[in-house]
């Protein structure tokens, strides 16, 4: 589990094709502290396992499945990625509960200055939009953000100066792909309400009629 509060950005040093996926070598510092081989590190919103550790880097294997369904397949040496170590029991939960299991990708539609902050608008597939709620949480490239506006085909988030300074969101341009993860609680609620067996006694109609 993660919180969506990136601890640092790292730089991809090397991308190696393995025949059935890729191996990434990522230059980093903070996330190496206390990390052991086999530990989880969130890389641009994707939970990866550290397979090798060096004085200034770690390596991680990326499966073909992950390359197909995330934006990680388009990353190259020199690219900047957001990094976060797994949450420890007792840590502050500054963002929201993030699994590191990306639901799909989105595309940057607009970037607008809004006072000291920036408003980023993303388009994405319907199955992701269905769980985007105004003032709810969404993870963009591993960053926990609050949804500011929602339309039928897109959503916007407000990004404060600090977040732009410490993550790679400031490097995004219109047309770029990002990794998106819906709020975990919303996903469980949707699944629960989609069950055909209503022996639990709770239905969508009952929830709608609550006052």
């Amino acid at each position: 589990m993660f919180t969506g509060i990136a601890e640092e950005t790292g730089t991809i040093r090397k991308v190696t094709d393995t025949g059935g996926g890729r191996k990434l070598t990522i230059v980093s510092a903070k996330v190496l502290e206390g990390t052991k081989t086999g530990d989880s590190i969130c890389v641009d919103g994707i939970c990866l396992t550290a397979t090798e550790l060096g004085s200034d880097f770690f390596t991680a294997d990326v499966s073909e499945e992950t390359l197909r369904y995330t934006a990680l397949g388009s990353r190259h040496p020199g690219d900047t990625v957001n990094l976060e170590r797994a949450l420890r029991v007792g840590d502050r939960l500054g963002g929201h509960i993030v699994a590191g299991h990306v639901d799909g990708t989105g595309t940057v539609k607009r970037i607008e200055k809004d006072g000291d902050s920036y408003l980023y608008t993303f388009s994405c597939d319907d199955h992701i939009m269905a769980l985007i709620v105004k003032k709810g949480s969404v993870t963009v490239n591993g960053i926990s953000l609050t949804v500011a506006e929602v339309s039928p085909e897109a959503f916007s988030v407000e990004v404060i100066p600090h977040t732009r300074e410490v993550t790679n969101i400031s490097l995004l341009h219109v047309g770029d792909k990002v990794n998106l993860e819906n709020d975990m609680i919303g996903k469980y609620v949707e699944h629960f309400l989609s069950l055909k067996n209503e022996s639990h006694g709770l239905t969508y109609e009952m929830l709608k009629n609550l006052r």
Side-chain angles (χ1 to χ4, degrees):
M1 291 296 185
F2 306 91
T3 69
I5 305 298
E7 296 184 89
E8 66 172 331
T9 57
T11 304
I12 298 177
R13 174 181 287 170
K14 187 178 181 182
V15 179
T16 306
D17 287 323
T18 62
R22 292 180 186 173
K23 182 185 294 291
L24 300 183
T25 301
I26 300 174
V27 177
S28 53
K30 180 69 175 177
V31 298
L32 296 177
E33 297 174 7
T35 297
K36 308 180 299 297
T37 301
D39 285 350
S40 296
I41 297 177
C42 193
V43 178
D44 262 2
I46 305 162
C47 179
L48 298 178
T49 299
T51 57
E52 181 183 350
L53 299 170
S55 60
D56 67 343
F57 73 92
F58 70 93
T59 64
D61 293 320
V62 184
S63 69
E64 286 286 357
E65 174 87 358
T66 299
L67 294 173
R68 278 195 299 269
Y69 291 103
T70 74
L72 203 55
S74 62
R75 300 292 190 260
H76 303 285
D79 285 352
T80 301
V81 290
N82 298 316
L83 302 174
E84 181 190 354
R85 290 169 293 182
L87 178 67
R88 294 178 300 184
V89 175
D91 282 351
R92 289 186 175 90
L93 189 61
H96 69 284
I97 297 173
V98 175
H101 302 155
V102 171
D103 292 301
T105 60
T107 303
V108 181
K109 287 188 65 177
R110 290 190 305 276
I111 303 173
E112 305 165 272
K113 191 83 164 62
D114 188 17
D116 292 332
S117 302
Y118 282 81
L119 194 67
Y120 286 76
T121 301
F122 303 95
S123 60
C124 56
D125 289 342
D126 290 344
H127 77 278
I128 297 177
M129 280 302 309
L131 293 176
I132 299 291
V133 180
K134 186 172 182 177
K135 303 306 179 186
S137 296
V138 66
T139 308
V140 178
N141 277 355
I143 309 164
S144 173
L145 295 168
T146 301
V147 178
E149 298 292 341
V150 181
S151 70
E153 72 287 339
F155 70 92
S156 302
V157 295
E158 193 91 11
V159 180
I160 62 174
H162 175 75
T163 302
R164 279 177 51 84
E165 290 171 8
V166 300
T167 71
N168 66 4
I169 200 164
S170 62
L171 304 177
L172 291 177
H173 300 90
V174 172
D176 284 350
K177 296 285 187 183
V178 295
N179 296 316
L180 299 175
E181 180 183 333
N182 286 117
D183 180 58
M184 184 182 297
I185 295 173
K187 288 191 282 190
Y188 275 108
V189 170
E190 181 193 46
H191 175 71
F192 184 73
L193 292 176
S194 70
L195 296 176
K196 299 300 183 183
N197 180 6
E198 297 186 358
S199 62
H200 46 70
L202 182 65
T203 67
Y204 181 68
E205 288 301 318
M206 290 172 60
L207 290 177
K208 281 204 308 183
N209 294 328
L210 288 177
R211 295 290 186 265

